[in-house]
């Protein structure tokens, strides 16, 4: 999952799809990428379950499937707690310095 999300174009596609399903042509225009490039990235995202496709005659509509991101979020949770603890300590330190 991290390898898939490491690509900035794939993250951009996911960001666009957060607002709702889109046909490939919309993604091509919005992201200023070629159709084959967008299709390649959509296939990778589809293979890991981050997007689903719906066919409507000749058009293919893609939509975000956020459920697989729950695994990433669960893995990040302990790190998020660690960062929050560090930020809280930094806030306390800065307040003490300002006194």
């Amino acid at each position: 999952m991290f390898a898939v999300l490491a690509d900035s174009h794939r993250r951009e596609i996911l960001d666009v799809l957060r607002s709702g399903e889109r046909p490939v042509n919309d993604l091509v225009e919005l992201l200023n990428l070629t159709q084959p490039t967008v299709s390649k990235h959509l296939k990778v995202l589809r293979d890991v379950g981050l997007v689903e496709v719906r066919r409507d005659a000749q058009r293919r509509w893609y939509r975000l499937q956020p459920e697989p991101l729950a695994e990433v979020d669960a893995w990040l949770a302990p790190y998020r707690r660690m960062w929050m603890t560090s930020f809280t300590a930094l806030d306390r330190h800065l307040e003490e310095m300002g006194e």
Side-chain angles (χ1 to χ4, degrees), residues 3-89:
V4 170
L5 295 173
D7 186 280
S8 63
H9 294 306
R10 292 182 197 130
R11 291 192 311 271
E12 286 179 305
I13 290 170
L14 294 176
D15 287 343
V16 170
L17 294 177
R18 279 187 309 172
S19 65
E21 68 178 6
R22 301 275 188 145
V24 174
N25 291 341
D26 282 5
L27 296 170
V28 168
E29 288 180 26
L30 288 168
L31 301 173
N32 198 27
L33 297 170
T34 66
Q35 189 277 326
T37 298
V38 170
S39 292
K40 177 188 83 166
H41 288 302
L42 286 168
K43 180 186 180 330
V44 173
L45 293 168
R46 196 173 60 243
D47 287 348
V48 297
L50 285 171
V51 298
E52 280 187 346
V53 63
R54 174 178 66 87
R55 290 185 186 203
D56 181 25
Q58 297 297 321
R59 295 180 94 175
R60 291 182 183 188
W61 292 77
Y62 287 85
R63 67 180 161 269
L64 177 65
Q65 291 299 112
E67 293 82 8
L69 293 173
E71 180 181 333
V72 174
D73 185 54
W75 184 82
L76 287 172
Y79 295 96
R80 197 176 301 113
R81 286 190 296 272
M82 180 184 71
W83 295 328
M84 291 310 298
T85 301
S86 297
F87 289 141
T88 301

